[in-house]
Amino acid sequence: MQAKESPAIGQESDDRNRGRSRHEESTVNMAARDKNGTRQHVVEAAIRCILEKGFYRASSNAIAERAGLTWGVIQYHFGNRENLMLAVLEEGSRRLAGELISAKITGPTLTERMEEFFDILAEYYASPDYLAFIQVLVNLGHDPSTSDRTRQTLAELNDQANPELKRLLSQVFAGTGTRQRDLRTLVFHALRGLSISHVMLTTVEPYIYANAQREFLAERKLLARALTLLVENPDGKK
């Protein structure tokens, strides 16, 4: 009977090393996922806390309690409250980028394209979470103790969406012959402003504005029609 060959010693060592390497890689990946998951959980808890208590009352301890973690754990991931608030703003920027980057405006008429643009903006600016993002932006921007590094990041985040917004506005105005920068800027601010007004009213006084969503949709259509008239007849001539 033929003797069964034993694996070479070198091969056994290689197999063990490969197994150890796969285990170590898996452990590193799990640790990275756990770290990212914890960071995201804390950011979401901070957003909820800001919406419930306001920016300044959303203290380090209040956020830790909301997240179900100690401040020491949060400090390990973010360092200090300023960095955590900056991470909240970065989350807002990430969400806006997600809405814009995959969006495409294809309506056959200018009014329809206005409405499509409005729908895209409303997903972000009419979200209650936007009220948390804007509180962070305003307060970090005006607080004299905010670090220079954070201020630089704020400026970068503020500019990140501009290329995608310009792309979408070009699609809105396609075929109109309109190249006025101030008119395009007005369209963006008007549509964004109505979204912010809606979310502020429904958040502060939800019972009074029980029919707000239906009214919001109607107002969006009216505003799109009004802006279309302005674009098509900027001089107001009959």
Side-chain angles (χ1 to χ4, degrees), residues 90-109:
E90 288 170 339
E91 171 65 14
S93 180
R94 183 191 66 77
R95 292 187 193 180
L96 178 58
E99 294 294 340
L100 298 179
I101 200 166
S102 60
K104 188 175 181 181
I105 296 172
T106 59
T109 69

Side-chain angles (χ1 to χ4, degrees), residues 103-187:
K104 188 175 181 181
I105 296 172
T106 59
T109 69
L110 179 55
T111 300
E112 289 173 305
R113 295 195 296 274
M114 288 277 189
E115 291 178 4
E116 287 180 44
F117 187 48
F118 206 133
D119 291 341
I120 294 165
L121 295 182
E123 285 296 321
Y124 177 70
Y125 291 109
S127 164
D129 287 0
Y130 178 72
L131 297 180
F133 303 143
I134 196 64
Q135 286 186 67
V136 174
L137 178 62
V138 170
N139 284 285
L140 285 184
H142 288 80
D143 189 338
S145 67
T146 298
S147 68
D148 291 340
R149 181 187 62 82
T150 293
R151 292 186 187 281
Q152 178 62 33
T153 304
L154 291 179
E156 292 170 357
L157 290 174
N158 196 47
D159 292 337
Q160 275 185 4
N162 287 342
E164 292 300 324
L165 287 170
K166 289 179 180 178
R167 176 182 65 84
L168 292 173
L169 279 167
S170 294
Q171 293 175 1
V172 171
F173 283 85
T176 64
T178 301
R179 297 187 178 277
Q180 292 175 263
R181 184 176 180 275
D182 55 350
L183 198 53
R184 296 186 178 211
T185 302
L186 173 65
V187 168

